[in-house]
Structure formats: C-alpha cells, structure tokens
Amino acid sequence: MKFYKFFFLFFITFFINQNLKAQEIINDSLTEKSYGYLIDSFYKNLKDTAIAKVYARAYLKKAEKNKSFTYKLYGNFLLSQYKNDYREFHVFCDSLIKIYESQKKYDFLIKIRSQKANAYEVKKLKNKALKEYLAIKKIINYYKNDSIYEFVNYRIGTIKLANKQYKGAKDIFNDILKKKKTNSNNPILTYKIYNKLTLIYSLLKKYDSAYYFLDKGYGIPYQYKSLEHTRTLLYYNAKLKFEEKKYDIAIKHLKRYIKFIIPDHVAINRLSYCYTLLAICYDKTNNYKEAKRFHYKVDSIYKKENIINPEIEKTYYFLIEKSKDENNLTEQLNYLNSLIDINNYNNKINQELNRSLSENYNKPKLISKKNEIIAKLQKKANRNQLYKLLYGTGILIVLLILIYQTKRKRNYKRQFLKLIEEEQNSNTVSFNNTTLTPKQDSYKISKEVSKTLLNKLDLFEKNKGFLNPEINLKKLANSLNTNSSYLSKVINQHKQQNFANYINQLRVKYIVNELKHNTTFQKYTVKALAEEVGFKSAESFSKAFYKFTNVKPSYFINELKKINSN
C-alpha cells in the first residue's frame, strides 16, 4: 500500500514539474513575439483564463527582459484583467506613485495614473477614472506635453459623454480641436474626436453639425484609415439615422456594421447595443417579429456575458410587455428581475437614479410589480400543487386498481390451469374446502350408524340428489331415515364442513366437470347454470363457484371457450 502511495505522489510531482517546464518553454517562445501579437492573443482568449494567463505572463516577461517600464506596467494590468480583479494592480500602482512622486518623475507618474484610470474604466468606475485623469492634468502643469494633454482631455470628454453630460463633453472635444490646429497633428485622435462629436450632435438633435463632423471623419487621409476607422464611421452614420428616426435607413446601416464586427471581447458590447437599436427600429416600423428576434438576442448576450448597453432597458420594456400579453408570469418575473438588476447597476455606476426609466417603470413600481407577480406565481403554484396532488392520487388509485386487476387475472389463470391439470391427471377436481374443527359432542354416534349414513351419502352423491333446489338438512335426513342432528354431525366430522358448504361444493364440482366436457353448458348464461345445479339465484351460484374455485364462473367459461377454439 505504501508503495502505491509513493508511486502516486511521484507521478503527480513529475506531472506538475513537466507542466511547469512546458509552461516555461511556451512563455520563452512567446517572448519572441511582438507586444501587439501578445495583446491581440490575450484579448482573443480572454474568456479562457488559462490561455489568457499564458499570454499575459509572456507579455510581462518580455517587458521585464527589455527593462521597459511602460510595458511592465501594462503587463501587470493584463494579469489583473484575466483575473477580473484589479485590487492588486491598484495597490501596485499606488506604491509606484509614492516612489515617483518623491522623485518628481512626471512622465512615469502620468503613465501609472493613465493605466490606473484605464483599469477603473474597464470596471465601469467612471468617477474614479475621472479623478485619475484630473490628477494627470495637474501633473501636466509641471511636465508640459501637448499630446498627453490632448489624450487626457479626450478621456475626460469620453467619460462625460458616457455620463450623458453632452454639453461638457462637446466643449472639451471642440477645445482639443482648436488647440490641435496650433500645437500638434495627431490624425488618429482627430478622427476619434470627429466621431464623438458626430454622436453628441446627433443626441442633441443638431443634425447639420453631426453630418459636418461625420464628413470630417470620412475626410481623414487614406494612410491613416483602418478597418476600425471605416466601421466606426459606418456605426455613427447608422446612429445618426436612428436619432433622425429614419429607421429603414438605420436598419440597413446597422446590418452592414454588424457584419464588420468581429465577435471578440471588445465588439460584444457594441454588438449588444446594435441589436437593441435594430429591435427598436423594427418595432417602430411595425415589424414585431424581427423586433422580438433582436430583443431576444440582446437578452441572450446579457445572460451569457452580463453586457449592459445604453438602450438595454428598452429591450426589457418590450419583453415585459410581450410576456404580459402572453400571460406568462414566469417570463415576466425573469425580465423584471433583469430590468431591476440593470437599473441598480446603472444607479451604482452613475450615482444617480437612471433618468431613462419611464413613469410605468420607475424603481418603486418595478419592485411593486415584481412582488405582485411573485404573489400571482405563488397562488398559481399552490393551485398547481393541489392539482398535482389530486392528479397524483388519481393516478395512484388507477395504478392500484390495475395492479389488483392484473394480480386477480393472474390468480384466475393460475387457478383455472390448476383445475384443468387436476382433471387431466386424476379425473377428479379438488376445491377449497371450508373446513370445520371437529368438536366433542355431548353424545356420540356409533361407528355402525356413521358408516351406514356415509354409505347413504355416497349413494346420494352418485344419484346427484344435491341438484334438487329444494334440498335441505331436514329433507335429506328424512330421506336417509335419520335425524338432522345425526346427519349434521356425520357431515361435520367426516366431510369436514357444514351441510350448506357440502351441498354447494357438490354442485360446483358437478358443474365444473360438465362445463369441461359438455360444450352445450358453455353456451348457458350464469343464471341458467345456477338453476341447472339447484341454486336459487345467479349471485349465490357465483359466490359459491368463486369460493370453491377462486375464479368467477364467467371467467372459467371464457377460458374454456378459448381452449376449444384453439
């Protein structure tokens, strides 16, 4: 036993070491790849944390090997991102900030705070990200850098836009454009600002200004255009048509844009948003079927990826109304729960009540509606429980009846075969006797008298005197020249049963034999058979027949007919 334990531990240790060595080899080979390749591979495999971890570690290892501060910082960010836990990264950044603040190394401080702000933005903590960018603006007073100034202001403008502070965002983006004319020339940042301004003016319903900046975006020099640039312009064009309520044109642009979206970690957010916009467009153009299909897609993404887009609440307004029309309380409750969760999330992120909720769907009413549906479902569940109980009881009763009937038929068959076999083997039929325990009487019958009476009873049986419907103990005693007491005692002691059972058993035995050999009798009714053997009613005959054979006369006759037909 010890040997097996040792072998098992050795095998596990060997396997782990080999795994670690293989991991090290993989990391070493990946460090030869470019930073861009490692980042792309990381995000493509972000859902598979084990693979994402490999690329994150390879990125960090490459950065340490090259002694690059910026890349090391980003490598640590990637390690936090695959875990989806940035607490260690924030502590790491704070420790670096203390070091470089004392050394007044502003370029390092800007990089650290930028990356820290990026981590906050990933977690949707926009206010904390904003604080970091404002801290960077203060640093810029000591460390003049126009490109960093533009970048920081761009991020602040983006956060304000996300918080629906359209005027503040617009002013920041326009200010960057004015300063860019005299300070620097960064076409990539410029076209991003054009896109943001297109969106803002469309939301402010200033469509002429929106189209002006959209055209500016299309006018970016060819050498700076990329696939991302092209598809983003297409997206903002679609969004502008949507805001103008040109829903048919918006549908075409949105569908074209969706074809461009690569289903990766970044695109899934925009995909969810586009599906909601498409669903709204179809709803506005009275295409309920397509509207429902795309709202379902949004719900599916939310459930799988927990993706919340800016218009997602409209998806759940639609789905709640649909389930209400279909009287589907369970679906209605599920959609209400999702809407409440989204509402709570938005309130937490924005630190204010979500103004997009309508009068019919403000938070207190949502909770009230949820409780109302839960109460209805509980009532329905209780009613269903009662129905199930009654249904289950009914099924149990039916099953018990079926089991009883099956068992009875099986017993009937067994007893029938027994009756047939006994007759074939010995030409006699044995019955279930209702026996009596012989009792000591106050007087005794001599052996000679008993023998005489038994001989007379044998003759009575041969002559089939028991078929006489008027026969009784007194009449039989008179015909045998004895008294009733003597005859009753002899039958009890020697036939082991009382007079009534004795006569009934003889009658049943007789009719069983007749039925087996005389097919004419098989055509008789039960009542006719009863009269044939001296019973006064079909009921008393059936009871006696069952008592001595364990089968009903009708069953016995039917089984005989089956044998004869074969």
Side-chain angles (χ1 to χ4, degrees), residues 119-139:
Y120 281 131
E121 286 194 82
V122 170
K123 293 297 286 183
K124 309 292 185 187
L125 301 172
K126 291 177 286 190
N127 289 336
K128 289 188 176 183
L130 188 59
K131 285 181 181 179
E132 295 300 324
Y133 287 126
L134 292 173
I136 294 171
K137 285 193 76 171
K138 288 181 181 179
I139 295 171

Side-chain angles (χ1 to χ4, degrees), residues 248-260:
D248 288 327
I249 303 173
I251 288 170
K252 292 178 183 177
H253 286 307
L254 284 166
K255 284 189 171 180
R256 281 182 61 200
Y257 173 69
I258 286 170
K259 289 180 181 178
F260 277 103

Side-chain angles (χ1 to χ4, degrees), residues 207-222:
Y207 301 120
D208 289 340
S209 297
Y211 280 115
Y212 169 79
F213 284 106
L214 184 66
D215 290 340
K216 284 278 190 180
Y218 279 113
I220 290 290
Y222 178 79

Side-chain angles (χ1 to χ4, degrees), residues 160 182 227 234 242 326 362 439 533 552 563:
K160 284 184 176 290
T182 56
L227 176 62
L234 182 59
F242 177 84
E326 295 172 356
N362 60 55
K439 297 178 181 179
V533 291
K552 295 285 184 181
I563 292 173

Side-chain angles (χ1 to χ4, degrees), residues 279-486:
I280 294 169
C281 287
Y282 278 119
D283 195 25
K284 296 292 185 181
T285 53
N286 298 317
N287 191 335
Y288 178 80
K289 184 179 177 182
E290 285 298 290
K292 184 170 68 171
R293 184 166 76 91
F294 282 101
H295 279 311
Y296 277 145
K297 285 177 178 285
V298 177
D299 178 55
S300 176
I301 291 174
Y302 173 68
K303 284 174 180 173
K304 289 179 183 176
E305 307 286 346
N306 201 30
I307 298 297
I308 297 174
N309 72 62
E311 301 283 352
I312 195 169
E313 287 164 357
K314 291 180 182 176
T315 283
Y316 286 101
Y317 302 158
F318 179 94
L319 293 175
I320 288 167
E321 291 301 321
K322 180 197 75 70
S323 56
K324 197 185 292 183
D325 292 341
E326 295 172 356
N327 198 26
N328 190 328
L329 291 175
T330 304
E331 266 195 6
Q332 197 176 342
L333 180 61
N334 287 336
Y335 294 140
L336 269 170
N337 281 331
S338 294
L339 184 56
I340 290 168
D341 290 342
I342 291 164
N343 183 223
N344 288 336
Y345 176 82
N346 285 334
N347 290 341
K348 183 179 177 182
I349 298 301
N350 297 322
Q351 298 180 348
E352 62 179 6
L353 286 173
N354 190 338
R355 291 190 298 273
S356 68
L357 290 175
S358 68
E359 284 296 317
N360 292 328
Y361 288 102
N362 60 55
K363 190 172 179 180
K365 286 188 178 181
L366 279 175
I367 302 297
S368 174
K369 189 66 178 174
K370 174 182 173 179
N371 292 335
E372 182 186 331
I373 292 171
I374 290 172
K376 285 181 181 178
L377 283 172
Q378 187 61 51
K379 187 177 179 181
K380 188 177 179 182
N382 292 339
R383 188 166 61 248
N384 288 342
Q385 194 67 26
L386 178 61
Y387 290 154
K388 285 177 184 177
L389 183 63
L390 293 174
Y391 182 69
T393 305
I395 289 176
L396 182 62
I397 290 169
V398 170
L399 282 174
L400 290 173
I401 290 171
L402 288 173
I403 290 168
Y404 170 75
Q405 293 284 4
T406 304
K407 190 175 179 181
R408 188 176 68 168
K409 285 181 181 179
R410 200 175 291 153
N411 289 336
Y412 276 12
K413 189 73 175 178
R414 194 184 300 115
Q415 191 60 31
F416 171 79
L417 293 173
K418 183 180 176 184
L419 291 171
I420 298 298
E421 288 170 3
E422 284 176 344
E423 200 252 344
Q424 288 173 344
N425 293 336
S426 60
N427 292 324
T428 61
V429 180
S430 62
F431 290 114
N432 298 322
N433 292 333
T434 305
T435 59
L436 297 173
T437 304
K439 297 178 181 179
Q440 295 296 325
D441 215 335
S442 56
Y443 57 90
K444 293 182 179 180
I445 302 175
S446 65
K447 289 182 180 181
E448 291 77 12
V449 172
S450 294
K451 186 176 180 181
T452 300
L453 283 175
L454 286 171
N455 288 333
K456 288 180 179 181
L457 284 173
D458 287 342
L459 186 61
F460 166 77
E461 292 173 12
K462 286 178 183 178
N463 293 332
K464 300 181 180 57
F466 51 82
L467 298 178
N468 181 1
E470 303 300 326
I471 195 71
N472 58 37
L473 181 63
K474 187 175 180 182
K475 286 182 179 180
L476 182 57
N478 290 337
S479 69
L480 298 181
N481 296 318
T482 186
N483 60 54
S484 300
S485 296
Y486 272 32

